[in-house]
Amino acid sequence: MEQLQGTVAIITGAASGIGRSTAISLARAGVSIIAADIDEAGAAKVAAKINSTDGAAFGVRCDVATVDAFEKLKDVVFDRFGRIDIVMNNVGVLTSGRPDELPVTEWERIFQVNLLSVIRSNAVFLPLLIAKGSGHIVNTSSFAGLLTYAFDRLPYAAAKAAIVQISEGLALYLRPQGIGVTCLCPGPVKTNIMSTTRIFSSDLDVRGPGPQFDLIEPDSVGDMVVDAIRTNKFMLFTHPQVRDLLIERATDFDAFLQKQIDAPHIIIKRSS
Ligand SMILES: NC(=O)c1ccc[n+]([C@@H]2O[C@H](COP(=O)([O-])OP(=O)(O)OC[C@H]3O[C@@H](n4cnc5c(N)ncnc54)[C@H](O)[C@@H]3O)[C@@H](O)[C@H]2O)c1
């Protein structure tokens, strides 16, 4: 979508972090925004910030884990702005625990919030975008969906890997129909995600993808997403050097796995 001025976007998880920064960057490019978040006050605050700077936005409470969340969002977007062009499925929550200490109910929660939300969003918005033959979908995955550097967040990583697959398959299907798909794969970004992480193994160190990946500010990610929509870029890495790790892993899976076991990159030390 080279021309963004006058288009309309829904962004989930827009009250904080990457969703918030993308809402602000898209608004700056002339896109009207529905900022959807379970944090109603936060969503309203982002909308107010955009509205105070010549943009147009509306904040709405939305729990993406509920069955009718996206039908309701569809009603809101048509009521407020009369059209939909860009859908960013961005909500993600983290969990942390050894594979044998994470309850099945936590798998269910993470899949509901992180994965089934994307599927429900597609069920509502794909037919609309296909019918008009234009638009763009952005799905937020993670480095955790591309490669394995930790064992404490299996439901999160599995959901994010599924999002990569869904996004790529959708791109195959939708690009010939005039609709773009971007799979955003962030590395470490300074947001509030750790503050809402549920912890099931209190003595477990938290591993990161590697010391070469700086913790970046979310503001720059919003601009990257705008650029990806404009240029119809499919795979969007916040830290392009992740390609080196992907090549290393694909070249020798066993050696890559052994390296992670022998020299994990600890970002939070919890063991004594
Ligand atoms: N921050 C990182 O380092 C990083 C790395 C890789 C991927 N990601 C992904 O980026 C996306 C955005 O995360 P972030 O880092 O900006 O986190 P964040 O916690 O700052 O923002 C997430 C937002 O989602 C909202 N939210 C949570 N549950 C919700 C629900 N059920 N319904 C609606 N809204 C809900 C929260 O209220 C919050 O405003 C997530 O998908 C996350 O997995 C983040």
Side-chain angles (χ1 to χ4, degrees):
M1 280 174 63
E2 282 169 32
Q3 186 51 257
L4 294 182
Q5 184 74 39
T7 63
V8 175
I10 289 177
I11 301 172
T12 66
S16 171
I18 291 169
R20 179 181 181 279
S21 78
T22 305
I24 291 167
S25 295
L26 276 174
R28 220 180 280 134
V31 181
S32 300
I33 306 291
I34 296 291
D37 204 288
I38 201 165
D39 170 6
E40 188 172 13
K45 216 167 142 188
V46 170
K49 181 177 167 61
I50 291 170
N51 289 326
S52 71
T53 53
D54 278 356
F58 183 67
V60 60
R61 186 188 186 278
C62 157
D63 177 354
V64 296
T66 54
V67 184
D68 59 352
F70 292 91
E71 284 292 346
K72 285 183 178 163
L73 281 182
K74 182 177 89 174
D75 291 345
V76 171
V77 75
F78 279 98
D79 184 42
R80 287 279 155 175
F81 297 123
R83 60 187 282 172
I84 180 68
D85 302 281
I86 298 165
V87 180
M88 182 174 184
N89 300 305
N90 171 68
V91 169
V93 287
L94 252 178
T95 191
S96 175
R98 291 186 180 83
D100 48 333
E101 291 173 353
L102 271 180
V104 173
T105 49
E106 185 63 357
W107 277 86
E108 289 169 348
R109 182 181 79 91
I110 296 291
F111 272 44
Q112 279 295 342
V113 175
N114 292 9
L115 180 57
L116 284 168
S117 59
V118 178
I119 292 161
R120 291 199 188 99
S121 168
N122 287 335
V124 170
F125 292 112
L126 281 193
L128 299 175
L129 298 183
I130 289 170
K132 68 176 196 163
S134 66
H136 203 99
I137 295 170
V138 182
N139 293 327
T140 306
S141 179
S142 169
F143 278 13
L146 293 171
L147 52 96
T148 309
Y149 50 86
F151 55 75
D152 72 311
R153 64 201 78 160
L154 291 189
Y156 179 84
K160 293 300 189 184
I163 289 174
V164 174
Q165 285 299 315
I166 290 168
S167 303
E168 198 164 354
L170 280 180
L172 275 178
Y173 179 57
L174 295 174
R175 197 180 278 188
Q177 301 187 64
I179 299 155
V181 178
T182 293
C183 183
L184 167 63
C185 285
V189 184
K190 205 169 166 184
T191 68
N192 291 315
I193 196 163
M194 295 302 266
S195 66
T196 57
T197 304
R198 288 192 190 165
I199 297 168
F200 290 84
S201 306
S202 55
D203 61 336
L204 189 61
D205 296 338
V206 177
R207 300 171 184 215
Q212 67 273 43
F213 302 110
D214 290 338
L215 185 65
I216 63 170
E217 293 294 331
D219 289 359
S220 58
V221 182
D223 292 342
M224 288 179 203
V225 174
V226 172
D227 185 57
I229 295 172
R230 277 208 173 106
T231 59
N232 201 8
K233 185 180 177 62
F234 170 68
M235 183 53 83
L236 176 57
F237 301 136
T238 54
H239 302 61
Q241 61 278 42
V242 74
R243 281 193 195 92
D244 298 340
L245 279 190
L246 293 173
I247 290 167
E248 193 185 330
R249 180 179 186 242
T251 305
D252 188 339
F253 267 76
D254 280 280
F256 185 76
L257 188 63
Q258 196 57 49
K259 199 170 137 188
Q260 308 298 315
I261 293 168
D262 294 341
H265 174 58
I266 308 292
I267 52 170
I268 301 175
K269 182 117 187 97
R270 294 206 182 106
S271 60
S272 48

